[in-house]
Amino acid sequence: MTFEEIGRFLEEHDCFTILTHRSPDGDTLGAGFALWNYLSDMGKKARVLNGEGFPDRYAFMYTGYEPREFTEECVIAVDIADPNLLGSGLAEYQQEGKIDLCIDHHISNKNYAKHSYVDGKASAASLILYQLFKALGRPISRQIAVCLYTGIATDTGCFKYENTTPEAHIAAAELIQYGFGFAIINRMMFDIKSKGRMAAEHFVQANMEFYCHDRCALIALTTEIMEKCGIESAEFEGIASIPLSVEGVDLGITVKQRHEDVFKISVRTTEKLDAAAFCRQFGGGGHIRAAGCEIKGTLEEVREKLLAAAGELGL
Ligand SMILES: [Mn+2]
């Protein structure tokens, strides 16, 4: 769909369900609540859904949010590459044909929706929404600007990662003209950490494992450690970038226990390696420098599989 066609699609319908991905981050929620505000400003009925609920740390994006009661007319997914990422809480939407429109920026997008707008070069789904709103010409409220800015800032690691484009900087420059406390948002998103998060970071730094002549670093967080630190899953954003912060490391792997025998893997790479290709071997995907997958087994088995794949890279 083109922006023009999306504009018509939004005009022609009245009741929208907006879906966000599990382990919600600043981009999926930023895009979701920006779109909710935009549709509400158009006089439409809309609601934002997440299978795990909305984490407190993003509360500033959903202040004033009230889900409306309505008969669902159409469903829009934002920042979701694969319906599996909806999680079990939104399993009903994983069936084929349930999602009408997908707006996303993952090159690995599975093209599961009836209509899609996927721009693999966009830094964030929130950036696509900003470009869409600008093209459609309706006024953008300050709260929409807050959500879009947060989405772009978080997905680019505060404009630091390789996915940061001139368009991302231009959008941020235009958005901060709406006059909100972007410095406070960045402090909340990047500097402030809970005591539990601090303890978890301390643990993974002290227990980091090195392989492949120190060019691969791996950290593992088991449920036991997470409980001991008192860390909630919403506080994990950015933890996967820790292994890559070690000098000389090109492949950073974060292993996080999801259930007894299920581990979520986050992979970060330097320009020397393709993280999405690495994760594709395990049925996952993502971006070229940041990708993920899920592997079943014990921690030892999972580690073995990952290291075998890392060994193939010839580091
Ligand atoms: Mn995103």
Side-chain angles (χ1 to χ4, degrees), residues 25 27 79 105-106 124-125 155 287:
D25 60 14
D27 188 32
D79 196 36
H105 69 124
H106 294 90
D155 257 26
H287 305 287

Side-chain angles (χ1 to χ4, degrees), residues 60-125:
F60 66 96
M61 286 201 276
Y62 55 86
T63 42
Y65 167 67
E66 281 168 53
R68 303 277 210 83
E69 282 302 313
F70 57 74
T71 319
E72 191 170 275
E73 209 188 328
C74 48
V75 180
I76 306 177
V78 287
D79 196 36
I80 304 176
D82 181 325
N84 286 330
L85 298 173
L86 289 165
S88 52
L90 292 176
E92 61 195 286
Y93 292 102
Q94 290 176 359
Q95 298 157 30
E96 223 187 298
K98 276 281 194 180
I99 298 169
D100 299 291
L101 171 62
C102 165
I103 298 176
D104 187 27
H105 69 124
H106 294 90
I107 36 167
S108 58
N109 189 284
K110 291 262 166 42
N111 201 19
Y112 55 88
K114 285 182 207 152
H115 305 284
S116 296
Y117 187 95
V118 179
D119 178 359
K121 289 200 179 72
S123 309

